[in-house]
Structures are given as C-alpha cells and as structure tokens.
Amino acid sequence: MTHDRTAMVIGAGPAGLATAIALRRAGFGVEVRERAAEPRPGNGLTLWPNGLRALDAIGAGAAVRAGAMPAPGTSMRSKAGRSLYEVSGPVMDTIGGRGVGMHRKDLLEALTGVLGERPIFGVRCVGARTEAGRAVADFADGTEARADLVVGADGIRSSVRDGIGLAEPLRYAGFTVWRATIEFELPPFPGVLSMGGPSQFGIWRLPAGRVYWFASAPAVEGARESRPPAFFENWHPPIPELLAATGSEEITATDIYDSEPLRAWSVASVVLAGDAAHPSMPNMGQGTSQAFEDAAVLADCLGGGAGIESALAEYERRRRRRARAAWSQARMLARIGGWRNPLACLLREKLMSFAPERAQLARLERLFTFPPGPENDHRRPGDSYG
C-alpha cells in the first residue's frame, strides 16, 4: 500500500505506539524506531476515562481494555488507614467512567497488535531537524531517515526535543518513586493512595491476581535506594504485607523530574508528543492518558487535509491548555503531598475529608471528558482542573 505522506515516530513506548496507530488511520505511512534493544516491560500503570476514550478514537480502546482491570472506585487514606476521600465505582460511572489498572508490558503488546507491525529496536535517535522541506531524524550510527513528519515520542529526556531546541531544564522534584508489580491476592479493592507526612503509597489491582504498588518519599537525587524507606512497614494493611512479599529485585526506583512548560511543541515538520511535549510529575496519574490524547488530536489535525505545519500548530492549540492544566495540578499535588509539618499534614487531611463532594466530582468529570468541550478547550494557561 502506498501513502501520500510518511511519518517517523521516535519512541516505542505507549505514546509512540499510540501515535503511530493514529497516524496510520490518518493515512500516513509510519515507521517506529526505539533506542532500547527490546520492549521495556516497565511496571503497572493506571489509565483514566479520557485516555481510554482517546484510544477509542484511534481504534485501540477495545484491545487495551481486554488487558486491563477496572477499579471499583478510588480513595485516599491516611497512613493509619482512615478514609479521607472515596468515590465508588457506580459514582465514577456517572462522571465518565472508572480508572483501570494494567501492566505496561500488556499495554505495549495490545498497542503493537493494533499497529500490526513491530517497531525497529536498538536504533538510537540523537536529534531531528527539517531540511529542504522534509523532516530528518539523525541516528547514533551516522544514518538519517527522512519523512514528511518526525514525531518525538521519546520521553522526558527526549533527543528529538533537544535537537529542535525546545528543551527546558529538567527540575528534580525532591523525591523518588519505588514501583513493583507482584502476584498478590486482594479482594475487590478501590485504587488507594495513602498519605503520611511527605510520603505516599499507592495500590492498584491488575488482572491475573497481580497488584501494582508504588511508594514515594523524599530522597537525595541519585541515591536510588533499592527499597522504600522502612517506615512504610508501619502503615496500614496491606502495605506491610505487600512490601514483605516483594523482593528487592522486583522493585524499580526512579527519581522524579519535570520542567517548565515548553514554549512550543513543534518546529517546522518535527513535533513532540507525550512526556517529550509536556514533562510532568506523576501525581495526577495522567501521563499515559495525556499521551493518548496527544495521539488522537494530532492525527485528527493531520487527517483534515491541511498542510503539516498548520496542522501541527492546530494540534498544539487544541492540546496545550489541557496538558498544561494536568501539569499544573500534578505540581500542586506534589507540593501539597510533600508537606512535612505535622500541623500542616493534619490540615491537609481535614481539607480532603471535608471538601465538597460535588466540587470534587465536577473536577474529575472535567478531567475525564475527551474530547474536551469548549469549557475545557479554552482554559487560560496555568488553570488547573480544580
């Protein structure tokens, strides 16, 4: 099959694969290249209704849902287990749907199946540019690839972003996140985030009797301790049991960074998507879902027959404010979640416990709506979902 336009997608993570699927539907011939030698299985992750609807828009929703487990609600607790905030599954259904948990490996396999072609692995992109009206991706082995469009979906340390001069300095957030996925039987269990001082612990059930957990705590940049701090063992059940059941070799530690919003997401025929376009802290759990929104909107803009550069400008116009809102909310939650003063932490718990439910549900509904309505699409820069 011949295509009038071609695209080179750099990065074979969820953002890159979803973008490739979307661009194929928009009529592009697409090739995906990835610097890693093989797919990186990663860990568990969460997807929210907006991300799932974006996948529906590109024809990948059913395949992804088949490997995911809907949560019977979402909740926040104190480190002692006291409920601070909870939304049941049926209530979630009234505001757009439930979050789901799944393993990154399963997500990659589902997206690769929809794409119908395995990415090219072990090819490291070192930059991108536009030359003579064509987008060019440069690789570490001295080769280059030309296409009508190059998409940098290569993560928070994007070489494509650096190559087109759009990088902002990454800022260390001051904390490390430890993650693991283990076999562990839990009864039907809402997605739980527990808070104590400046530290947090999250639990999500996955299919096949697995549990994804993550812990975050202040840490020295680069220290990368192999296990979370021992104080988590004194938090409410089943946190101590999960930690005891997890071997150190099953845990991945990651220092957390973000950056100030980029001044632009594209230069000529090179464009960014996912974490490459909007590096954000993980506190909203929206990173993958926002990347899927990018993919759907990018393809929609490019599929309308407009020139590539004008389509990229429209993509950024439609996505920038919503991604900025998620970035802003994540940074705010990280700041509040990092409070250390015991009185401030007590105030935080009271604010969560007594916040008006209607306002909280309205905030979630705005976040879960995709495509966004006019009230979301025209938010002022810096606005949050609150």
Side-chain angles (χ1 to χ4, degrees), residues 12-18 21 39-48 51-52 55 58 60-69 100-115 206-207 210 287-289 291-292:
L17 292 174
I21 292 167
R40 289 178 278 197
N43 236 299
L45 51 79
T46 56
L47 296 176
W48 295 98
L52 293 170
L55 288 175
I58 64 173
V64 169
R65 285 183 177 89
M69 175 174 284
V100 303
M102 71 184 306
H103 200 283
R104 187 177 190 271
K105 178 176 181 291
D106 298 332
L107 176 59
L108 295 180
E109 289 177 353
L111 292 174
T112 301
V114 175
L115 181 62
L206 305 184
R210 295 172 296 173
T288 307
S289 293
F292 292 161

Coordinates of all heavy atoms in Angstrom, one line a residue, residues 12-18 21 39-48 51-52 55 58 60-69 100-115 206-207 210 287-289 291-292:
A12 N 9.1 3.8 21.2 CA 8.1 2.7 21.1 C 7.5 2.4 22.4 O 7.1 1.3 22.7 CB 8.8 1.5 20.5
G13 N 7.3 3.5 23.2 CA 6.5 3.3 24.4 C 5.1 3.5 24.1 O 4.7 3.6 22.9
P14 N 4.2 3.6 25.1 CA 2.8 3.9 24.8 C 2.5 5.1 24.0 O 1.6 5.0 23.1 CB 2.2 4.0 26.3 CG 3.1 3.2 27.1 CD 4.5 3.4 26.6
A15 N 3.2 6.2 24.2 CA 3.0 7.4 23.4 C 3.3 7.2 22.0 O 2.6 7.6 21.1 CB 3.8 8.6 24.0
G16 N 4.5 6.6 21.7 CA 4.9 6.4 20.3 C 4.0 5.4 19.6 O 3.6 5.6 18.4
L17 N 3.6 4.3 20.2 CA 2.8 3.3 19.6 C 1.4 3.8 19.3 O 0.9 3.6 18.2 CB 2.7 2.0 20.4 CG 4.0 1.2 20.6 CD1 3.8 0.1 21.5 CD2 4.5 0.7 19.2
A18 N 0.8 4.5 20.2 CA -0.5 5.1 20.0 C -0.4 6.2 18.9 O -1.3 6.3 18.1 CB -1.0 5.8 21.3
I21 N -0.3 4.4 15.5 CA -1.6 3.8 15.2 C -2.5 5.0 14.7 O -3.2 4.8 13.6 CB -2.3 3.2 16.4 CG1 -1.5 1.9 16.8 CG2 -3.8 2.9 16.2 CD1 -1.9 1.4 18.2
P39 N 11.5 -4.3 23.8 CA 10.5 -3.6 24.6 C 10.8 -3.6 26.1 O 11.2 -4.6 26.6 CB 9.2 -4.4 24.3 CG 9.5 -5.1 23.0 CD 11.0 -5.4 23.0
R40 N 10.6 -2.5 26.7 CA 10.9 -2.4 28.1 C 9.5 -2.6 28.9 O 8.6 -1.8 28.8 CB 11.4 -1.0 28.5 CG 12.8 -0.8 28.0 CD 13.4 0.6 28.2 NE 13.0 1.5 27.2 CZ 13.5 2.7 27.0 NH1 14.6 3.1 27.8 NH2 13.1 3.5 26.1
P41 N 9.5 -3.7 29.6 CA 8.2 -4.1 30.2 C 7.7 -3.1 31.3 O 6.5 -2.9 31.4 CB 8.4 -5.5 30.8 CG 9.9 -5.5 31.0 CD 10.5 -4.7 29.9
G42 N 8.6 -2.5 32.0 CA 8.2 -1.5 33.0 C 7.4 -2.1 34.1 O 7.7 -3.2 34.6
N43 N 6.3 -1.4 34.5 CA 5.6 -1.8 35.7 C 4.1 -1.6 35.4 O 3.7 -1.4 34.3 CB 6.1 -1.0 36.9 CG 6.5 -1.9 38.0 OD1 5.7 -2.7 38.5 ND2 7.8 -1.8 38.4
G44 N 3.3 -1.7 36.5 CA 1.9 -1.3 36.4 C 1.7 0.1 36.1 O 2.6 1.0 36.2
L45 N 0.5 0.5 35.6 CA 0.2 1.9 35.4 C -1.3 2.0 35.4 O -2.1 1.0 35.5 CB 0.7 2.4 34.0 CG 0.4 1.6 32.8 CD1 -1.0 1.8 32.2 CD2 1.4 1.9 31.7
T46 N -1.8 3.2 35.5 CA -3.2 3.5 35.5 C -3.6 4.3 34.3 O -2.9 5.1 33.8 CB -3.6 4.3 36.8 OG1 -2.8 5.5 36.8 CG2 -3.4 3.5 38.0
L47 N -4.8 4.0 33.8 CA -5.4 4.7 32.7 C -6.8 5.2 33.1 O -7.5 4.5 33.8 CB -5.6 3.8 31.4 CG -4.3 3.3 30.8 CD1 -4.7 2.3 29.7 CD2 -3.5 4.4 30.3
W48 N -7.1 6.4 32.7 CA -8.3 7.1 33.1 C -9.3 7.2 31.9 O -8.9 7.0 30.8 CB -8.0 8.4 33.7 CG -7.2 8.2 35.0 CD1 -5.9 8.3 35.2 CD2 -7.7 7.8 36.3 NE1 -5.5 8.0 36.4 CE2 -6.6 7.7 37.2 CE3 -9.0 7.5 36.8 CZ2 -6.8 7.3 38.5 CZ3 -9.2 7.2 38.1 CH2 -8.1 7.1 38.9
G51 N -8.1 8.9 28.7 CA -7.2 8.2 27.9 C -7.8 7.1 27.2 O -7.5 6.8 26.0
L52 N -8.8 6.4 27.8 CA -9.4 5.3 27.1 C -10.3 5.8 26.0 O -10.4 5.1 24.9 CB -10.3 4.5 28.1 CG -9.5 3.8 29.2 CD1 -10.5 3.3 30.3 CD2 -8.7 2.6 28.6
L55 N -8.1 6.4 23.1 CA -7.8 5.2 22.4 C -8.9 4.7 21.6 O -8.7 4.2 20.4 CB -7.4 4.1 23.5 CG -6.1 4.2 24.2 CD1 -6.0 3.2 25.3 CD2 -4.9 4.1 23.2
I58 N -8.8 6.2 18.2 CA -7.8 5.8 17.2 C -8.0 4.3 16.9 O -7.1 3.7 16.3 CB -6.4 6.1 17.6 CG1 -6.0 5.4 18.9 CG2 -6.3 7.6 17.8 CD1 -4.6 5.5 19.3
A60 N -8.0 1.7 19.2 CA -7.3 0.8 20.0 C -7.9 0.6 21.4 O -7.3 -0.2 22.2 CB -5.9 1.4 20.2
G61 N -9.1 1.1 21.7 CA -9.6 1.0 23.0 C -10.0 -0.4 23.4 O -9.7 -0.8 24.5
A62 N -10.6 -1.1 22.5 CA -11.1 -2.5 22.9 C -9.9 -3.4 23.2 O -9.9 -4.2 24.1 CB -11.9 -3.1 21.7
A63 N -8.8 -3.3 22.4 CA -7.7 -4.1 22.6 C -7.0 -3.8 24.0 O -6.5 -4.8 24.7 CB -6.7 -3.9 21.5
V64 N -7.0 -2.6 24.3 CA -6.3 -2.2 25.6 C -7.2 -2.6 26.8 O -6.7 -3.2 27.8 CB -6.0 -0.7 25.6 CG1 -5.6 -0.2 27.0 CG2 -4.9 -0.4 24.6
R65 N -8.5 -2.4 26.7 CA -9.4 -2.7 27.8 C -9.4 -4.2 28.1 O -9.6 -4.7 29.2 CB -10.8 -2.3 27.4 CG -11.1 -0.8 27.6 CD -12.6 -0.5 27.3 NE -12.9 0.9 27.5 CZ -12.8 1.8 26.5 NH1 -12.4 1.4 25.3 NH2 -13.2 3.0 26.8
A66 N -9.1 -5.1 27.0 CA -9.1 -6.5 27.2 C -8.0 -6.9 28.2 O -8.1 -8.0 28.8 CB -8.9 -7.2 25.9
G67 N -7.0 -6.1 28.4 CA -5.9 -6.5 29.3 C -5.8 -5.7 30.5 O -4.8 -5.7 31.3
A68 N -6.9 -4.9 30.8 CA -7.0 -4.0 32.0 C -8.0 -4.5 33.0 O -9.0 -5.2 32.6 CB -7.2 -2.6 31.5
M69 N -7.9 -4.0 34.2 CA -8.9 -4.2 35.2 C -9.5 -2.9 35.8 O -8.8 -2.1 36.3 CB -8.3 -5.0 36.4 CG -9.2 -5.2 37.6 SD -8.6 -6.3 38.9 CE -8.7 -7.9 38.1
V100 N -8.6 2.3 35.2 CA -8.2 0.9 35.1 C -6.8 0.7 35.4 O -6.0 1.7 35.2 CB -8.6 0.3 33.7 CG1 -10.0 0.5 33.3 CG2 -7.7 0.9 32.6
G101 N -6.4 -0.5 35.9 CA -5.0 -0.8 36.1 C -4.6 -1.9 35.1 O -5.4 -2.8 34.8
M102 N -3.4 -1.7 34.6 CA -2.8 -2.8 33.7 C -1.3 -2.7 33.8 O -0.7 -1.7 34.2 CB -3.4 -2.7 32.3 CG -2.8 -1.5 31.5 SD -3.6 -1.4 29.9 CE -3.3 -3.0 29.2
H103 N -0.7 -3.8 33.3 CA 0.8 -3.8 33.2 C 1.3 -3.1 31.9 O 0.6 -3.3 30.9 CB 1.3 -5.2 33.3 CG 2.7 -5.3 33.7 ND1 3.8 -5.0 32.9 CD2 3.3 -5.6 35.0 CE1 4.9 -5.1 33.6 NE2 4.7 -5.4 34.8
R104 N 2.3 -2.4 32.0 CA 2.9 -1.7 30.8 C 3.2 -2.7 29.7 O 3.0 -2.4 28.6 CB 4.1 -0.9 31.2 CG 4.7 0.0 30.1 CD 5.9 0.8 30.6 NE 6.3 1.8 29.7 CZ 7.2 1.6 28.7 NH1 7.7 0.4 28.5 NH2 7.5 2.6 27.9
K105 N 3.7 -3.9 30.1 CA 4.0 -4.9 29.1 C 2.7 -5.3 28.3 O 2.8 -5.4 27.1 CB 4.6 -6.1 29.8 CG 4.9 -7.3 28.8 CD 5.6 -8.4 29.6 CE 6.0 -9.6 28.7 NZ 4.7 -10.3 28.2
D106 N 1.6 -5.5 29.0 CA 0.4 -5.8 28.4 C -0.1 -4.7 27.5 O -0.7 -4.9 26.4 CB -0.7 -6.2 29.4 CG -0.3 -7.4 30.3 OD1 0.5 -8.2 29.7 OD2 -0.7 -7.5 31.4
L107 N 0.1 -3.5 27.9 CA -0.3 -2.3 27.1 C 0.5 -2.2 25.9 O -0.1 -2.0 24.8 CB -0.2 -1.0 28.0 CG -0.5 0.3 27.2 CD1 -1.9 0.3 26.7 CD2 -0.2 1.5 28.2
L108 N 1.8 -2.4 25.9 CA 2.6 -2.4 24.8 C 2.2 -3.5 23.8 O 2.2 -3.3 22.6 CB 4.1 -2.5 25.1 CG 4.7 -1.4 26.0 CD1 6.2 -1.7 26.3 CD2 4.6 0.0 25.2
E109 N 2.0 -4.7 24.3 CA 1.6 -5.8 23.4 C 0.2 -5.5 22.7 O 0.1 -5.8 21.5 CB 1.5 -7.1 24.2 CG 2.9 -7.6 24.6 CD 2.8 -8.8 25.5 OE1 1.7 -9.2 25.8 OE2 3.9 -9.4 25.8
A110 N -0.7 -4.9 23.5 CA -2.0 -4.6 22.9 C -1.9 -3.5 21.8 O -2.4 -3.7 20.7 CB -3.0 -4.1 23.9
L111 N -1.1 -2.5 22.0 CA -0.9 -1.4 21.0 C -0.1 -2.0 19.8 O -0.4 -1.6 18.7 CB -0.2 -0.3 21.7 CG -1.0 0.5 22.7 CD1 -0.1 1.6 23.4 CD2 -2.2 1.2 22.1
T112 N 0.9 -2.8 20.1 CA 1.6 -3.4 18.9 C 0.7 -4.2 18.1 O 0.8 -4.2 16.8 CB 2.8 -4.2 19.4 OG1 3.7 -3.3 20.2 CG2 3.7 -4.7 18.3
G113 N -0.2 -5.0 18.7 CA -1.1 -5.8 17.9 C -2.0 -5.0 17.1 O -2.3 -5.3 15.9
V114 N -2.5 -3.8 17.6 CA -3.3 -3.0 16.8 C -2.5 -2.3 15.6 O -3.0 -2.2 14.5 CB -4.0 -1.9 17.6 CG1 -4.7 -0.9 16.8 CG2 -4.9 -2.5 18.7
L115 N -1.3 -1.9 15.9 CA -0.4 -1.4 14.9 C -0.1 -2.4 13.8 O -0.1 -2.0 12.6 CB 0.9 -0.9 15.5 CG 1.9 -0.2 14.6 CD1 1.3 1.1 14.0 CD2 3.2 0.1 15.4
L206 N -4.4 -5.5 39.4 CA -4.2 -5.8 38.0 C -4.9 -7.1 37.7 O -5.1 -7.9 38.6 CB -2.8 -5.8 37.6 CG -1.9 -4.5 37.9 CD1 -0.5 -4.7 37.4 CD2 -2.5 -3.3 37.4
P207 N -5.1 -7.4 36.4 CA -5.6 -8.7 36.0 C -4.6 -9.8 36.5 O -3.4 -9.6 36.8 CB -5.7 -8.7 34.5 CG -5.8 -7.2 34.2 CD -5.0 -6.5 35.2
R210 N -2.6 -10.0 40.1 CA -1.4 -9.2 40.4 C -1.8 -7.9 41.0 O -2.9 -7.4 40.9 CB -0.6 -8.9 39.1 CG 0.0 -10.2 38.4 CD 0.6 -9.9 37.1 NE -0.5 -9.4 36.1 CZ -0.2 -9.0 34.9 NH1 1.0 -8.8 34.5 NH2 -1.3 -8.6 34.1
G287 N -0.1 10.7 33.0 CA 0.9 10.8 32.0 C 0.5 10.0 30.7 O 0.6 10.5 29.6
T288 N 0.2 8.7 30.9 CA -0.2 7.9 29.7 C -1.4 8.4 29.1 O -1.6 8.4 27.8 CB -0.3 6.4 30.1 OG1 0.9 6.0 30.8 CG2 -0.4 5.5 28.9
S289 N -2.4 8.7 29.9 CA -3.7 9.2 29.3 C -3.5 10.5 28.5 O -4.1 10.6 27.4 CB -4.8 9.4 30.4 OG -5.1 8.1 31.0
A291 N -0.8 11.4 27.0 CA -0.1 11.0 25.7 C -1.1 10.4 24.7 O -1.0 10.7 23.5 CB 0.9 9.9 26.0
F292 N -2.1 9.7 25.2 CA -3.1 9.1 24.2 C -4.0 10.2 23.7 O -4.4 10.2 22.5 CB -4.0 8.1 24.9 CG -3.2 6.8 25.3 CD1 -3.7 5.9 26.2 CD2 -2.0 6.5 24.6 CE1 -3.0 4.8 26.5 CE2 -1.3 5.3 24.9 CZ -1.8 4.5 25.9

